[in-house]
Amino acid sequence: MCVRLLRLGLVSLLLSSLAGCASSCANDHAFQEKVHSLCAPAAACTPQIPATVPPVEPKLEGEHVIDFYVQAALTRNPDILAAERQVAAQAEVVPQVTSLPDPVLSGNLYPSQNQTIQTAAGFVRTNLVISQQFPWCGKLRLRGEVARQNTKIALTQLAATQLKVIEDVKLVYYDIYFNRRALKIIDDSEKLLREDFIDPARAGVGKTTRLDLMRGEVELVKLRDQRISLRQRLIQAQADLSKILSTSPDSNLASADVFDLPAVPDQLDRLYQAALISRPELQERLQTTARDERLVELARLNYVPDLTVGFVWYDVVANDALSKTANGENALGIAFGVNLPIWQRKLQAGVREAQNREARSARLYQSSRDDTLRLIRRLTVQAHSLEQQLELYRKELVPSAVEALRIAHEGHKTETVNPVRVVDNWLQLMTLWLQQARLETSLGQTLASLERVVGEQLTRMKDGPGAAVCPPSGIPPSGQRRPDADQDQLPLRRDESLPPPQRLDAAPPDEPE
């Protein structure tokens, strides 16, 4: 009997599992159909764009000089426009933090006469309290100064964004120039090889073997391969420039065939001083340090209580009053109060936090300053080396290669020079032309990066001395000392006057509140 029951149980269990599998498969199929039905309309419909999103900028086309693209980027780039809005938004914070907090209107209502307050003048039916908090003298001013410093920080971030966009425009512009220049060199080189070697060899001029002719044709195929790669990089560079200009990626943006590069500066001290004054990242660090100084003062003012003043009005009713002398006259009183800053650990921690943030900002400025000077030195050395190499190519290497190709071509006509020498000299000349174009591009990109680090256009520094010659306030000129500096004592570091940071495991036990 037990065996029989066991068999029936196993059979029923097997049938239930099969039925569950079938229902599960059916449910999965229905679920997939439901998902597909929901995803199909969502993928086909047009996304809803908020009304605040600006329309697409008009398309740019054609060949332009670099200044045109720079001006277009300054007026069209979304990152710059967003940074401008950030400055405008931050400026609106100042009137908010310098205003008094909203007054508070409160009251009490006694709906039952048995539960109300009874006075000699009658029972109080309701009372209203209006109060205004007055922060301690100096708190609103410091909050406004902090907000103004944040606005200045936003301005420096806007300037940094503008310089970064200008650098990006120039870097991509020089890439477009190189690829267009390289394509022209390829075309000219192909024409030169055909006229000086391929066509005469096919016409039977000179002692050119079939192997020499195949060597020249292989070089032509290599030119086709280079042309494909250059066109790809040209289209990619044009797409990068289109993104910066916020225009269609299909725009045919071209560079001018000739451009003037600014002279490589020789006075490193002038570049250093200009960067200390003009580089937005350094100015941002300085403004951040000044803001943190105000936050330290504001944290110290938290030890002082704030005053709250208000008026209290009581609605007194004489009807059914307990007192026989009740006259029902309303009452008006003055309310005042102060907060009690008694939790010293919290206040001290707030001051230490602000001091540590101030010291951190000062150290970050020092790090940014050192990195700026390092970049100026590296980019200046790189620019000088590229300029010297470019001069070497223009005056010696390229003219010598042109002359060598001419001699080889004339010797090939008189059958005194091996035909392979003509191809080798042609290949060497084309390589030098491409390398010269690459050096011009690298020099332009290096100078663009140098302008980004310095924070000024090199042409402006060349035209007039401006403020770049003057050292920033608080920094003595090179070779001079402060009059109050002691020769036998190192200057006190900024964070040595602050309390040392406490570790969590060294913190005192919690005080009872």
Side-chain angles (χ1 to χ4, degrees):
M1 186 68 178
C2 294
V3 175
R4 197 171 178 183
L5 291 176
L6 181 60
R7 289 178 179 176
L8 290 175
L10 292 175
V11 171
S12 61
L13 180 62
L14 179 60
L15 292 176
S16 63
S17 62
L18 292 176
C21 179
S23 61
S24 176
C25 294
N27 292 334
D28 290 343
H29 183 66
F31 175 76
Q32 292 177 0
E33 291 182 353
K34 185 67 175 178
V35 170
H36 288 309
S37 63
L38 291 175
C39 293
C45 66
T46 304
Q48 297 295 329
I49 300 178
T52 55
V53 176
V56 179
E57 294 286 350
K59 190 175 181 179
L60 294 178
E61 289 284 348
E63 178 180 318
H64 302 283
V65 296
I66 191 171
D67 291 337
F68 172 84
Y69 291 120
V70 169
Q71 293 300 324
L74 291 177
T75 57
R76 298 164 59 108
N77 185 265
D79 294 334
I80 294 179
L81 299 179
E84 291 176 352
R85 290 297 180 178
Q86 176 63 25
V87 174
Q90 186 60 46
E92 299 298 333
V93 177
V94 178
Q96 299 180 48
V97 298
T98 54
S99 302
L100 292 174
D102 295 335
V104 178
L105 178 63
S106 61
N108 297 314
L109 179 64
Y110 305 98
S112 175
Q113 184 176 353
N114 296 329
Q115 303 298 327
T116 188
I117 300 175
Q118 297 286 342
T119 65
F123 69 88
V124 179
R125 184 166 58 183
T126 182
N127 73 304
L128 296 176
V129 181
I130 182 171
S131 60
Q132 173 67 62
Q133 185 185 43
F134 296 92
W136 188 258
C137 300
K139 285 187 177 181
L140 293 180
R141 176 183 59 82
L142 286 175
R143 291 171 185 170
E145 292 180 0
V146 170
R148 293 186 186 92
Q149 292 299 132
N150 286 329
T151 305
K152 294 180 180 179
I153 292 174
L155 283 172
T156 58
Q157 293 173 351
L158 170 60
T161 303
Q162 291 175 338
L163 289 175
K164 183 65 172 62
V165 169
I166 292 175
E167 180 192 15
D168 292 340
V169 168
K170 292 185 176 181
L171 294 179
V172 178
Y173 180 88
Y174 291 130
D175 279 338
I176 294 176
Y177 165 80
F178 170 75
N179 290 294
R180 296 183 71 235
R181 176 65 177 166
L183 285 172
K184 189 176 184 305
I185 291 174
I186 294 296
D187 294 339
D188 295 341
S189 300
E190 181 180 359
K191 180 181 178 181
L192 186 63
L193 181 62
R194 288 184 181 275
E195 293 178 354
D196 292 350
F197 184 78
I198 300 294
D199 294 340
R202 289 175 179 174
V205 178
K207 294 182 179 180
T208 304
T209 63
R210 182 173 178 80
L211 182 61
D212 298 333
L213 182 58
M214 292 182 62
R215 167 72 187 282
E217 291 176 348
V218 168
E219 295 298 334
L220 290 179
V221 176
K222 290 183 179 179
L223 291 182
R224 291 170 54 189
D225 178 68
Q226 294 184 17
R227 187 179 289 109
I228 294 174
S229 178
L230 290 172
R231 285 176 178 172
Q232 171 194 343
R233 287 181 289 189
L234 175 61
I235 296 176
Q236 291 175 344
Q238 289 175 338
D240 294 339
L241 184 57
S242 300
K243 184 267 177 184
I244 301 173
L245 300 178
S246 186
T247 186
S248 173
D250 299 328
S251 301
N252 183 19
L253 304 175
S255 62
D257 294 334
V258 181
F259 58 87
D260 295 330
L261 292 175
V264 180
D266 295 326
Q267 301 177 358
L268 279 177
D269 292 339
R270 186 177 180 183
L271 291 177
Y272 294 155
Q273 296 295 337
L276 293 177
I277 297 175
S278 303
R279 193 179 189 195
E281 286 82 358
L282 294 180
Q283 295 301 317
E284 179 184 358
R285 297 297 186 190
L286 289 177
Q287 300 297 339
T288 303
T289 304
R291 180 202 62 187
D292 292 342
E293 291 177 354
R294 304 296 186 275
L295 289 176
V296 172
E297 298 178 19
L298 190 59
R300 287 173 177 157
L301 283 181
N302 289 332
Y303 283 92
V304 185
D306 298 329
L307 177 64
T308 302
V309 179
F311 296 94
V312 184
W313 177 74
Y314 295 93
D315 182 17
V316 182
V317 180
N319 298 334
D320 298 330
L322 298 179
S323 176
K324 300 301 183 181
T325 61
N327 53 15
E329 292 184 359
N330 297 330
L332 180 65
I334 299 177
F336 64 90
V338 294
N339 63 308
L340 302 178
I342 61 176
W343 310 119
Q344 296 296 311
R345 283 195 64 194
K346 181 183 72 173
L347 299 174
Q348 293 172 1
V351 174
R352 290 196 301 268
E353 176 190 1
Q355 289 175 337
N356 287 319
R357 293 188 185 279
E358 177 191 2
R360 173 182 176 273
S361 300
R363 288 307 183 189
L364 288 178
Y365 169 77
Q366 182 183 7
S367 176
S368 299
R369 181 193 60 192
D370 296 341
D371 187 63
T372 298
L373 301 183
R374 176 189 67 87
L375 289 175
I376 291 176
R377 179 62 176 171
R378 287 177 59 89
L379 292 174
T380 304
V381 172
Q382 181 178 348
H384 279 293
S385 299
L386 291 172
E387 189 179 40
Q388 294 173 2
Q389 287 180 295
L390 189 58
E391 192 74 11
L392 186 64
Y393 273 77
R394 288 174 178 173
K395 293 185 177 180
E396 298 187 22
L397 291 178
V398 172
S400 300
V402 171
E403 182 66 18
L405 179 59
R406 185 188 64 82
I407 295 175
H409 178 60
E410 293 179 354
H412 172 59
K413 288 181 179 181
T414 59
E415 301 181 359
T416 58
V417 175
N418 191 338
V420 179
R421 299 290 297 274
V422 179
V423 179
D424 291 340
N425 283 275
W426 166 85
L427 183 60
Q428 183 182 22
L429 177 60
M430 186 189 66
T431 304
L432 291 176
W433 275 341
L434 292 174
Q435 186 63 25
Q436 179 179 341
R438 171 57 68 186
L439 289 174
E440 292 175 351
T441 302
S442 299
L443 179 58
Q445 292 177 338
T446 301
L447 293 177
S449 299
L450 182 60
E451 290 176 344
R452 165 76 176 88
V453 174
V454 175
E456 286 190 18
Q457 302 295 320
L458 298 179
T459 54
R460 295 179 182 178
M461 296 181 60
K462 179 181 178 181
D463 295 338
V469 184
C470 304
S473 58
I475 300 179
S478 58
Q480 299 183 12
R481 296 181 64 256
R482 297 177 183 265
D484 55 347
D486 189 1
Q487 297 181 359
D488 299 332
Q489 184 179 1
L490 294 176
L492 182 64
R493 294 190 305 174
R494 187 178 185 84
D495 52 359
E496 286 183 353
S497 59
L498 303 178
Q502 295 185 359
R503 297 176 52 188
L504 294 179
D505 55 358
D510 294 336
E511 298 178 359
E513 298 182 355

